[in-house]
Amino acid sequence: MSSPHADPLGYQEPRIRHVPPRVSSAGQEAVELAAAAGLELDPWQQLALDDALGEREDGKWAAFEVGIVVSRQNGKGGLIEARELAGLFLFGERLIIHSAHLFDTSMEAMTRLLTLFEQTPDLERHIKRVSRSHGEEGIELFGGRRVKFKTRTKGGGRGLSGDCVIADEAMYLPSPTVAALMPTMSARPNPQIWYLGSAGEKESVHLGRVRARGLKGLDPRLCYLEWSIDPCDEFCPPGCTEHDPTTIRDEHRLPALELERQRARLVESYRKANPALGIRITVEHIESERRSMDPADFARERLGVGDWPVEGEAWRVISEDAWTALIDTASQPAADSPLVFSLAVARDGSYGCIGVTGRRYDGLVHSEITADDEQLDYRPGTGWMVPRAAELHERWKPAAFVVDAGGPAGALIPRLEEAGVTVVSPSTREYAQACGALYQAIVPREGNTPYVRHRDQAPLNAAVAGADTRKLADLWAWSRASSAVDISPLEMMTLGTWGLTKFGKAKAKPAPWAAYR
């Protein structure tokens, strides 16, 4: 037998690996039992068993929960089969529950496990009964040990309780199912629950929570392993070596040597996210997938790049540390700075926001929600916006007054123009570029110095914390639909910085902005 840590084919250990403290492991016993049944496990599967089946001094599992995230077709099913065989024949588990999102998936898992029994006489003789009755599918051994195969329902957690619970396709595991399941496992002498799946989506709430705990690495009863890449994004320069590529830009235009170099880096991405590469998956097949699939789908399904939900939906795009580092409560535009006003409206029209953007004395960009003597210009409804915009336009004669014509505020443009406000609007592509530019102005990256400052205003803070993004052609933009809060203050800031860049040529001002705010 090979060691769980053998590296015969350039095997890549998981990018995220959190293993609770243990004094021993039953993993090697499980590996040897699987081999006796004709199931030869890959190095990554052996490692997963070694980590997940760690034992404490009292003989109980070090990990109550086990999370495994790996791309499709890497052998996740074989890992499950090895764990179920070990539970039945090595660990004395009376009841193992194998649950899946779809009925067909659950039945396929049952067929595969039964095949291992049938091809191994020493195991097959232990079978007392095989049930294929609907709702009762499973394998029962003499002595009462059972493995049952279930299809999950939202509230069906109580029916999933066992000594070991396997939650396959865990990216579709409903939180209410887990909430119903957990209390029922408390009476088991040494329970363990496994969550196995590929990269998550926004609906993968429970697996996302498991992953978040695995990333923090503080949970003493969680084992979490994830094979994935840290992907390049649209802000990475060509030839970026800090992150992993998901494709080759301008592939057909590159010189032969550069194309070969980038292909080698892309294969390294394949290897990091697919520990069975060279065993059950080929580079040639993955290349075919890359050419055929949507880039985002390919990154998720083959490279482990999930669109994971964030607990509380906070700071999904811009980190709290990056944003708070830019607070300057005394910030204001310089007296000779051109001013750009911008206006945005919540998706449902419940709130509107007007703000100002200008350059400071030190050359940095200042952006804030404007205010009169009593309140910020972030207020309920939109009826107040045209009169207030006209007032600001008349007083300050700004370089530009920016409104996104394609957004909810676009409906106000005719009334604004009737009131004497000259409105400019970015194109869809310019708006997406403005979103990216503001991100770069806020988030410190290699070779990037943040150059925006803000005054720590609560509505703007909340908008940045709860913002999400959407794809927009080959770029991205802020998403009103999937953001956790009203993001009109963030849209105001985005439009303002775009307008300042495009229209903000310096001209003399009579007095500092602060004197009139």
Side-chain angles (χ1 to χ4, degrees):
M1 290 298 298
S2 59
S3 161
H5 305 284
D7 191 12
L9 295 170
Y11 156 69
Q12 180 73 35
E13 290 201 353
R15 184 172 72 90
I16 304 170
R17 182 184 183 191
H18 170 61
V19 182
R22 76 268 185 85
V23 297
S24 62
S25 174
Q28 189 60 26
E29 297 173 63
V31 170
E32 292 171 358
L33 175 62
L39 179 60
E40 292 287 346
L41 298 176
D42 300 343
W44 83 267
Q45 296 166 317
Q46 296 182 48
L47 174 67
L49 287 171
D50 185 65
D51 284 352
L53 298 178
E55 298 165 307
R56 305 187 308 195
E57 288 186 359
D58 61 5
K60 294 189 176 182
W61 301 126
F64 166 56
E65 295 175 284
V66 178
I68 306 286
V69 173
V70 66
S71 298
R72 298 178 188 274
Q73 305 304 315
N74 274 274
K76 175 167 55 67
L79 173 62
I80 293 173
E81 291 153 24
R83 174 61 181 88
E84 290 171 348
L85 285 176
L88 291 172
F89 291 99
L90 297 178
F91 309 146
E93 292 171 340
R94 303 290 296 174
L95 178 60
I96 298 173
I97 299 292
H98 181 125
S99 76
H101 175 61
L102 299 174
F103 176 79
D104 288 349
T105 307
S106 182
M107 291 304 94
E108 174 64 20
M110 177 175 165
T111 299
R112 289 178 49 150
L113 185 63
L114 191 57
T115 299
L116 290 177
F117 277 90
E118 292 172 345
Q119 69 187 18
T120 312
D122 285 345
L123 300 183
E124 187 178 25
R125 63 184 177 86
H126 291 275
I127 295 179
K128 178 180 179 181
R129 182 183 299 112
V130 176
S131 175
R132 291 185 171 87
S133 300
H134 185 64
E136 298 296 328
E137 295 86 354
I139 302 169
E140 182 179 356
L141 307 185
F142 291 106
R145 291 163 291 168
R146 294 176 295 158
V147 54
K148 298 182 71 174
F149 294 84
K150 296 283 190 178
T151 306
R152 291 191 294 267
T153 59
K154 268 193 174 181
R158 291 171 178 83
L160 299 179
S161 181
D163 298 289
C164 176
V165 175
I166 304 292
D168 195 9
E169 300 175 314
M171 58 280 194
Y172 306 121
L173 178 65
S175 293
T177 297
V178 182
L181 167 64
M182 284 294 183
T184 68
M185 297 186 72
S186 61
R188 302 282 174 173
N190 190 20
Q192 193 171 61
I193 180 169
W194 286 53
Y195 313 105
L196 303 103
S198 53
E201 304 177 31
K202 285 185 180 177
E203 293 76 18
S204 308
V205 175
H206 184 74
L207 187 59
R209 289 171 180 163
V210 173
R211 182 178 189 267
R213 286 187 283 136
L215 282 168
K216 290 180 180 179
L218 300 177
D219 192 324
R221 299 224 62 202
L222 170 69
C223 173
Y224 184 81
L225 307 177
E226 177 181 311
W227 282 266
S228 61
I229 64 168
D230 182 15
C232 286
D233 59 24
E234 62 268 30
F235 304 118
C236 289
C240 171
T241 57
E242 182 181 353
H243 305 94
D244 302 307
T246 61
T247 190
I248 300 175
R249 300 177 185 175
D250 300 319
E251 185 171 356
H252 302 295
R253 301 180 183 178
L254 295 176
L257 287 177
E258 177 60 18
L259 180 59
E260 187 64 26
R261 188 188 72 83
Q262 292 204 28
R263 280 180 175 166
R265 290 205 63 232
L266 195 56
V267 170
E268 182 66 12
S269 287
Y270 301 163
R271 188 173 76 91
K272 289 180 178 180
N274 295 274
L277 187 66
I279 303 174
R280 65 188 78 247
I281 303 173
T282 65
V283 171
E284 180 182 36
H285 184 76
I286 294 179
E287 281 285 276
S288 296
E289 291 177 332
R290 179 173 70 88
R291 289 189 290 267
S292 299
M293 296 173 67
D294 175 83
D297 292 340
F298 175 75
R300 181 181 64 253
E301 298 294 344
R302 182 52 65 203
L303 300 179
V305 181
D307 185 15
W308 293 100
V310 176
E311 189 71 26
E313 295 296 314
W315 309 105
R316 286 181 56 87
V317 184
I318 296 170
S319 74
E320 184 175 9
D321 289 344
W323 180 248
T324 57
L326 305 183
I327 293 173
D328 181 355
T329 56
S331 183
Q332 64 180 53
D336 61 349
S337 170
L339 298 177
V340 170
F341 289 89
S342 48
L343 181 152
V345 171
R347 182 188 184 200
D348 60 358
S350 59
Y351 266 81
C353 182
I354 300 176
V356 64
T357 304
R359 291 191 179 87
R360 305 180 353 154
Y361 289 99
D362 57 9
L364 300 177
V365 172
H366 165 91
S367 191
E368 66 172 282
I369 301 170
T370 55
D372 60 19
D373 293 336
E374 297 182 356
Q375 62 181 328
L376 292 175
D377 288 331
Y378 176 70
R379 312 181 194 179
T382 60
W384 60 275
M385 300 191 79
V386 171
R388 177 61 170 158
E391 176 190 345
L392 292 168
H393 188 270
E394 174 65 24
R395 176 182 295 182
W396 291 101
K397 305 295 189 292
F401 211 114
V402 187
V403 180
D404 178 12
L412 298 177
I413 291 178
R415 292 171 51 202
L416 287 166
E417 292 178 337
E418 288 176 5
V421 178
T422 302
V423 174
V424 295
S425 298
S427 67
T428 300
R429 187 166 185 84
E430 285 176 322
Y431 178 72
Q433 291 170 335
C435 294
L438 181 61
Y439 179 90
Q440 293 181 71
I442 294 171
V443 178
R445 299 284 294 267
E446 183 179 356
N448 182 36
T449 301
Y451 60 84
V452 168
R453 297 295 183 268
H454 63 94
R455 295 174 62 89
D456 197 23
Q457 296 169 311
L460 185 54
N461 294 344
V464 174
D468 199 359
T469 62
R470 71 184 192 277
K471 290 178 62 177
L472 200 61
D474 56 334
L475 301 171
W476 62 268
W478 307 120
S479 172
R480 302 180 189 97
S482 60
S483 294
V485 297
D486 169 30
I487 60 168
S488 61
L490 176 58
E491 292 182 291
M492 171 278 297
M493 189 179 195
T494 303
L495 296 168
T497 53
W498 173 82
L500 186 67
T501 300
K502 192 171 181 68
F503 303 103
K505 295 181 179 179
K507 62 180 181 179
K509 301 295 290 183
W513 162 254
Y516 295 94
R517 189 171 56 243

